[in-house]
Amino acid sequence: MTTDETTGALLRETAERAIRYLMGLDARGVAVPPDALARLATLDEPLPDGPTDPAAVLALLDGIGSPATTATAGGRFFGFVIGGSLPAALAANWLAAAWDQDAGMSAICPINATLEEVALRWLVDLLGLPPTSGAAFVTGGTMANVAALATARHAVLARVGWDVEADGLFGAPPVAVVLGAEAHASLLKALGLLGFGRNRVVTVPADGQGRMRADALPPLSGPTIVCIQAGNVNTGAFDPAGEIIARAHAAGAWVHVDGAFGLWAAAAPGRAHLVAGCGEADSWATDAHKWLNVPYDSGLAFVRDPESLRAAMAATAAYLTQSGQREPDQYTPEMSRRARGVEVWAALRSLGRDGLADLIERTCRYAARFAEGLQAAGFQILNEVALNQVLVSFGEPDVTRRVIAALQAEGTCWCGGTVWQGRAAMRISVSSWATTEADIERSLATMVRIAGDARP
Ligand SMILES: Cc1ncc(COP(=O)(O)O)c(C=O)c1O
């Protein structure tokens, strides 16, 4: 065998193993089995002195690693907000990994530069954003918030004559940051990373669904960034964008939308009303690895004024090529990175406008079915189920926690817990193309049975 034949055999075997893994998901429990978890310890060995046959490395990884995964790629994982991987997106990910392109520069990776531009054009249309927006293809919602807020920081300080990229934040005019009481933790993390301070923010009270109360917005003046949310991670609720953005813009503030999953409601005609007004903002963060169902990791930051995004992110050096076209690395925090645009393009190209609308609509419908079934069984739904998120209480906090633990151990499906405004709840998030009606009915029946058994 030549080296090429050996590599070919290894990759074919890898594909076989991956296919076997995916085909086996329906028959296995969703959680990581305890014995598989325990076997991970066998990987904790001294680094061998000599080389190991790659096929043996793969066999070890598959043998120990594959069973120690949570079946998030299957149809019955409803934890956090985790989408599956669409077949076209997964296939594109494999091919792009074989290409091993550095996606930052168009001269080195013209395919990614092209697909980012095409996908960007499609995305701003699907998400109802200004057609001339710029975008950064980043690792996820957190980094999308970082990229967008770094751009906001650039713009609001540039307006008062301060060059934050050159001169930093020490001695800069103060910037007020306003957000809702139920803003996502990643937004605070982003603000901390950017030097705004996690605690140095003005927090606006939220209503019972987690929506920022527009009537409680403080008077705004001077350099200000207002962060609103499209899709609360617990309830799925949307801040009243139209009212808040109008008031913020009247005061000259920048408005950023954290729409990690909720922004995708714009792509489904039956849900688009939920994001009404969001398109008037200045920047938006969303995930592709959540509701667009591309493999991890993949997030998107959009900015109305691409020049501000470029000004916040660009770096130059004599050895770096500048082609005169959109250079991906001039719009992202990273310089070298993988070609995320390839999978985003593949997902959109395979779904089409109608397929994406159907993915969003179908998963929302399944969430409503969970809510209806659990309510009919006598359990309390804590949120208005308008999107793909359901919060259910099974009674006393201890009972709810016991039901969650028992459900995870039983294995049919997987849901996590939360505390929503002081009440223990189980979170159900339906975010995967792989989920079928049969998955919903089977999971619902299991939840009702386990919660029934746990009744005091
Ligand atoms: C509203 C919101 N913003 C940001 C994030 C963070 O996204 P990521 O985990 O992709 O960084 C999440 C994750 O669930 C989210 O729900």
Side-chain angles (χ1 to χ4, degrees):
M1 243 190 200
T2 66
T3 305
D4 283 352
E5 283 167 349
T6 309
T7 304
L10 177 71
L11 295 182
R12 269 188 289 279
E13 190 187 335
T14 306
E16 285 303 325
R17 286 179 182 273
I19 293 163
R20 213 176 306 135
Y21 172 80
L22 291 173
M23 305 280 254
L25 288 178
D26 200 45
R28 57 160 275 194
V30 177
V32 181
D35 56 332
L37 197 59
R39 275 199 301 277
L40 285 178
T42 61
L43 297 174
D44 188 4
E45 56 178 352
L47 176 66
D49 288 333
T52 306
D53 176 7
V57 174
L58 178 71
L60 184 63
L61 182 63
D62 188 28
I64 304 287
S66 293
T69 56
T70 303
T72 51
R76 293 188 304 280
F77 181 84
F78 306 114
F80 308 99
V81 186
I82 290 185
S85 284
L86 286 160
L90 177 60
N93 174 279
W94 287 4
L95 189 60
W99 294 343
D100 190 24
Q101 301 282 283
D102 179 348
M105 288 175 287
S106 66
I108 298 301
C109 189
I111 178 64
N112 181 65
T114 301
L115 293 183
E116 279 196 11
E117 282 202 55
V118 173
L120 169 57
R121 212 177 57 240
W122 291 349
L123 285 164
V124 292
D125 177 34
L126 289 164
L127 299 176
L129 306 181
T132 54
S133 297
F137 289 68
V138 293
T139 52
T142 304
M143 280 311 291
N145 279 323
V146 169
L149 289 169
T151 308
R153 185 180 66 169
H154 164 86
V156 299
L157 284 172
R159 282 178 208 152
V160 291
W162 188 268
D163 182 345
V164 71
E165 284 73 34
D167 300 321
L169 274 182
F170 298 106
V175 177
V177 178
V178 179
L179 44 74
E182 295 288 356
H184 193 265
S186 69
L187 196 76
L188 293 166
K189 179 170 171 165
L191 291 168
L193 287 171
L194 290 167
F196 287 121
R198 295 187 188 203
N199 296 337
R200 208 193 130 272
V201 295
V202 179
T203 304
V204 181
D207 70 10
Q209 293 299 310
R211 291 177 285 246
M212 186 196 284
R213 276 181 37 209
D215 64 317
L217 200 65
L220 307 171
S221 65
T224 302
I225 301 167
V226 177
C227 303
I228 62 172
Q229 182 166 252
N232 175 279
V233 73
N234 283 305
T235 63
F238 292 72
D239 289 349
E243 204 176 334
I244 295 171
I245 294 173
R247 282 191 48 199
H249 279 172
W254 177 286
V255 182
H256 169 66
V257 180
D258 178 6
F261 62 99
L263 210 55
W264 295 95
R271 310 281 161 173
H273 63 279
L274 297 167
V275 285
C278 281
E280 298 304 313
D282 301 286
S283 61
W284 303 263
T286 194
D287 266 308
H289 59 218
K290 288 189 169 68
W291 231 347
L292 183 59
N293 281 217
V294 304
Y296 280 92
D297 47 26
S298 189
L300 297 153
F302 299 93
V303 178
R304 176 182 291 276
D305 171 22
E307 204 33 51
S308 294
L309 175 62
R310 206 195 56 76
M313 298 292 148
T316 52
Y319 77 99
L320 296 172
T321 50
Q322 295 296 333
S323 63
Q325 70 183 85
R326 179 184 180 278
E327 289 297 334
D329 71 351
Q330 299 297 297
Y331 294 88
T332 48
E334 309 93 340
M335 296 188 81
S336 301
R337 63 182 169 87
R338 67 183 197 89
R340 295 188 185 88
V342 176
E343 297 142 14
V344 171
W345 169 84
L348 293 171
R349 186 70 173 76
S350 76
L351 286 171
R353 191 182 294 276
D354 293 348
L356 179 60
D358 179 58
L359 169 63
I360 304 301
E361 187 55 47
R362 187 162 25 105
T363 42
C364 290
R365 216 171 46 239
Y366 289 162
R369 168 67 187 133
F370 268 129
E372 173 204 36
L374 289 164
Q375 200 156 29
F379 305 110
Q380 192 185 359
I381 304 301
L382 303 183
N383 65 321
E384 295 163 13
V385 182
L387 204 64
N388 61 336
Q389 305 291 118
V390 181
L391 288 181
V392 56
S393 161
F394 295 106
E396 291 299 312
D398 261 7
V399 178
T400 296
R401 282 191 281 269
R402 268 208 318 277
V403 172
I404 296 168
L407 193 68
Q408 291 177 2
E410 194 270 349
T412 298
C413 61
W414 201 102
C415 296
T418 190
V419 176
W420 177 246
Q421 299 189 342
R423 296 196 60 183
M426 186 175 86
R427 294 181 63 252
I428 306 172
S429 176
V430 191
S431 308
S432 177
W433 71 278
T435 299
T436 63
E437 215 160 308
D439 286 322
I440 298 296
E441 294 307 325
R442 192 173 145 195
S443 302
L444 178 59
T446 307
M447 289 174 193
V448 169
R449 175 174 56 77
I450 288 177
D453 290 349
R455 271 194 176 117

